[in-house]
Amino acid sequence: MARRGVSIIGIGSTPFTVMKERSIKDMATDACNQAILEAGVDRKMIQALYVGNYIGGILEGQETIAPLIANSLGLNPDIPCTKVEGACSSAGIALRQGYLLIAAGVYDLVLVAGVEKMTSASTEKVTMALSAGMDPETDRLTGLTFPGFFAQVARRHIKEYGTKIEHLAMVSVQNHANSVSNPRARFREPTTLEQVLNSRPICDPLKLFDCCPISDGAAAAVLCAADRAHEFTKTPIDIVGSGQATGPSCLYDHEDLTTLPATIRAAHQAYTESGLKPQDIDVVELHNCFTIAEIVDSEDLGFFPKGRGGFAVEEGLTAVDGKVPINPSGGLIAKGHPVGATGLGQLYEVVRQLRGDHENQVQNAEIGLVHNMGGSGTICTVHIVKRRG
Amino acid sequence: MATGAEQIPVARCQDCGHYFAPPVYSCAACGSGRIIEAHLSGRGKLATYTIIRVPPLGFEGQAPYTVAIIELEEGLKVPARLDNDPVSNDLELFTPAHFVARRDGVYWFQIVTQR
Ligand SMILES: [Zn+2]
């Protein structure tokens, strides 16, 4: 089926850091206004708003945020404004909803956003809120947490493939080095292998520095029909592939405890639609909520054979100047993970890379991939984006 | 120390015979609504595990505790808590484990200590 092309014509983002004084409405309004101003569109021309948010209801007691944000921005009251939720992939889903509606010819201009406010709550409350993305009748009853989910994946990956604890630590060190130059990142200091290895155990074998920090933040993008993008910008970024797939709700239901099949399926959709292969990708922002996730994702996205993800990091293949630059922004681990905003924060970083004006620039990046995941590997979105010309 | 395993209650589809970790409300393999309780041997091996040191609300008094996945000898994988105190990172994957009891919807297993 022939679909209409979709382009990104404006992006916006707050920092992903501790911003206790800022509300959900404040942060989302800021990111959306940046995207609208950059796109140069009249805000009354926007035809739909999709907002990703995961735990605003639990932590802030705040629901119905899409119209709240739309009214704050002064959007046209004729348009639908809808919140979407898919745990940590909420913003990736918002992006995909906008993409699908433009691709289907329903709209020409859609605003997509993601927002989360987390740092004002206690760690226990945040851990409990995040666990809302688990099956309450099985996994959650055992006292499992999402860090615990990935810790179990890590232990099995280590056993099956000889992945080393040092490989996990190297992922953390590389992400922290990458975020030093990123003004949107929560952590701006480099870290050492020793610091990571000696950090406090959270859920063995994962330690504090294997885990992403909770953060506050919002990110947004204005999407436009590709054939109209020239009306607004000289440097549109085209979305050439989009995928979303579903995986098991619990780790014990995964056939292979070291693979997240939703990633494989969503990536397959995006690669097929774009006609591109893993070798064609110049820059990647993938969902490294934990160090082991970066290793597993890099395999499931097809960049390395199964079991080689950790060794690839050791060999420098995923560094900014490596064969497959992964998370030059610092990723979720060092840039921060305001869960419902992350997918569009990742897109923001990749768009800046493709425009050639990122603070940690990959040389001559033309094609980028964004991988956003939610729940127990339960939801995954993959988008492939490309610079024109 | 565990010597024998208790039989473990699981869910089974009456139509296609598929086994599941309960609860299930219809068969995800064939769509049948005819789900019954069945019992398996309760013998399995440790597929993976973690020690939770930062628990969610409601589990504060229990940390640190071990959450695991047990692969039963019949092939079904189930979520579990390990009945091991103190917790330990020295447990080797694929070590035999025996079902002990199901309490409040949670399967408890014991590692079979080799002599
Ligand atoms: Zn059946």
Side-chain angles (χ1 to χ4, degrees), chain A residues 198-219:
Chain A
N198 294 328
S199 62
R200 181 166 62 95
I202 300 295
C203 46
D204 312 6
L206 298 185
K207 305 176 183 69
L208 183 65
F209 277 57
D210 288 301
C211 306
C212 60
I214 61 166
S215 304
D216 308 314

Side-chain angles (χ1 to χ4, degrees), chain A residues 137 143 152 155-156 203-204, chain B residues 25 48-50 53 65 89:
Chain A
E137 296 180 310
Q152 291 187 87
R155 197 181 291 271
R156 183 77 181 212
C203 46
D204 312 6
Chain B
Y25 302 103
T48 187
Y49 69 98
T50 182
R53 298 182 190 274
Y65 53 88
N89 276 304

Side-chain angles (χ1 to χ4, degrees), chain B:
Chain B
M1 192 177 308
T3 46
E6 296 296 319
Q7 290 223 320
I8 183 170
V10 297
R12 189 179 197 202
C13 172
Q14 259 191 309
D15 287 307
C16 76
H18 209 98
Y19 289 104
F20 299 93
V24 293
Y25 302 103
S26 77
C27 177
C30 78
S32 166
R34 303 204 308 153
I35 306 294
I36 52 167
E37 186 173 271
H39 285 81
L40 296 176
S41 69
R43 289 187 296 271
K45 56 191 185 185
L46 186 60
T48 187
Y49 69 98
T50 182
I51 298 169
I52 304 283
R53 298 182 190 274
V54 180
L57 279 181
F59 288 82
E60 302 92 331
Q62 300 178 36
Y65 53 88
T66 307
V67 174
I69 293 175
I70 304 295
E71 183 166 358
L72 300 172
E73 63 180 17
E74 294 86 356
L76 179 67
K77 291 198 287 290
V78 297
R81 281 283 290 273
L82 287 193
D83 196 0
N84 64 336
D85 188 21
V87 294
S88 167
N89 276 304
D90 295 334
L91 306 174
E92 282 289 325
L93 297 197
F94 311 125
T95 298
H98 283 175
F99 174 64
V100 180
R102 188 170 188 233
R103 292 196 285 268
D104 301 324
V106 177
Y107 290 131
W108 287 79
F109 277 77
Q110 252 180 8
I111 294 301
V112 181
T113 314
Q114 273 118 357
R115 291 166 188 263

Side-chain angles (χ1 to χ4, degrees), chain A residues 11 38 181-184 233 235 237 283 328-329 347-366 387:
Chain A
I11 52 172
E38 202 196 69
S181 58
N182 187 344
R184 295 167 297 285
T233 177
T235 55
I237 301 296
V283 58
S329 71
L347 182 78
Y348 181 98
E349 302 292 336
V350 168
V351 166
R352 292 280 304 271
Q353 289 282 353
L354 302 187
R355 289 177 182 170
D357 68 353
H358 196 276
E359 295 87 352
N360 194 23
Q361 182 67 43
V362 171
Q363 285 308 308
N364 201 28
E366 203 180 320
R387 184 177 82 193

Side-chain angles (χ1 to χ4, degrees), chain A residues 174-225:
Chain A
Q174 178 169 295
N175 278 279
H176 279 88
N178 281 343
S179 71
V180 169
S181 58
N182 187 344
R184 295 167 297 285
R186 172 155 180 190
F187 296 137
R188 306 287 306 278
E189 299 285 330
T191 185
T192 65
L193 209 60
E194 288 67 35
Q195 276 178 302
V196 180
L197 290 170
N198 294 328
S199 62
R200 181 166 62 95
I202 300 295
C203 46
D204 312 6
L206 298 185
K207 305 176 183 69
L208 183 65
F209 277 57
D210 288 301
C211 306
C212 60
I214 61 166
S215 304
D216 308 314
V222 178
L223 308 183
C224 177

Side-chain angles (χ1 to χ4, degrees), chain A residues 62-345:
Chain A
Q62 181 63 64
E63 298 282 11
T64 323
I65 64 171
L68 187 78
I69 295 163
N71 288 326
S72 169
L73 291 167
L75 301 186
N76 185 337
D78 260 339
I79 72 169
C81 298
T82 310
K83 182 180 90 169
V84 296
E85 185 275 315
C88 305
S89 62
S90 296
I93 297 170
L95 167 62
R96 184 167 155 82
Q97 291 307 305
Y99 168 82
L100 288 176
L101 285 160
I102 294 173
V106 178
Y107 302 125
D108 284 356
L109 276 170
V110 177
L111 176 62
V112 294
V115 59
E116 207 73 67
K117 181 169 174 61
M118 304 174 78
T119 68
S120 302
S122 71
T123 302
E124 291 77 14
K125 191 166 182 195
V126 171
T127 306
M128 179 271 287
L130 293 172
S131 296
M134 281 184 184
D135 184 343
E137 296 180 310
T138 57
D139 271 351
R140 214 158 84 199
L141 291 180
T142 65
L144 182 64
T145 59
F146 280 119
F149 173 98
F150 282 97
Q152 291 187 87
V153 172
R155 197 181 291 271
R156 183 77 181 212
H157 203 279
I158 288 167
K159 178 77 176 176
E160 282 193 41
Y161 300 110
T163 300
K164 300 175 201 150
I165 283 291
E166 287 77 13
H167 288 147
L168 304 186
M170 285 172 200
V171 170
S172 183
V173 170
Q174 178 169 295
N175 278 279
H176 279 88
N178 281 343
S179 71
V180 169
S181 58
N182 187 344
R184 295 167 297 285
R186 172 155 180 190
F187 296 137
R188 306 287 306 278
E189 299 285 330
T191 185
T192 65
L193 209 60
E194 288 67 35
Q195 276 178 302
V196 180
L197 290 170
N198 294 328
S199 62
R200 181 166 62 95
I202 300 295
C203 46
D204 312 6
L206 298 185
K207 305 176 183 69
L208 183 65
F209 277 57
D210 288 301
C211 306
C212 60
I214 61 166
S215 304
D216 308 314
V222 178
L223 308 183
C224 177
D227 53 11
R228 289 193 57 193
H230 63 93
E231 294 173 34
F232 305 101
T233 177
K234 288 192 184 70
T235 55
I237 301 296
D238 296 321
I239 302 176
V240 294
S242 172
Q244 180 178 339
T246 306
S249 300
C250 308
L251 183 61
Y252 66 83
D253 264 341
H254 282 68
E255 205 175 301
D256 175 346
L257 298 174
T258 64
T259 286
L260 302 177
T263 295
I264 297 176
R265 294 187 189 116
H268 179 73
Q269 293 170 25
Y271 286 134
T272 303
E273 183 178 8
S274 63
L276 295 167
K277 298 185 183 63
Q279 310 78 283
D280 299 321
I281 307 296
D282 300 316
V283 58
V284 181
E285 287 285 334
L286 57 69
H287 199 93
N288 63 347
C289 42
F290 302 94
T291 49
I292 183 63
E294 178 160 319
I295 291 171
V296 167
D297 295 345
S298 71
E299 297 164 354
D300 292 343
L301 289 167
F303 297 121
F304 306 110
K306 197 70 214 165
R308 297 304 299 174
F311 295 92
V313 177
E314 183 176 12
E315 291 158 20
L317 301 180
T318 63
V320 175
D321 58 357
K323 195 171 134 234
V324 188
I326 290 179
N327 293 347
S329 71
L332 284 58
I333 287 174
K335 184 192 167 192
H337 185 26
V339 288
T342 285
L344 282 161

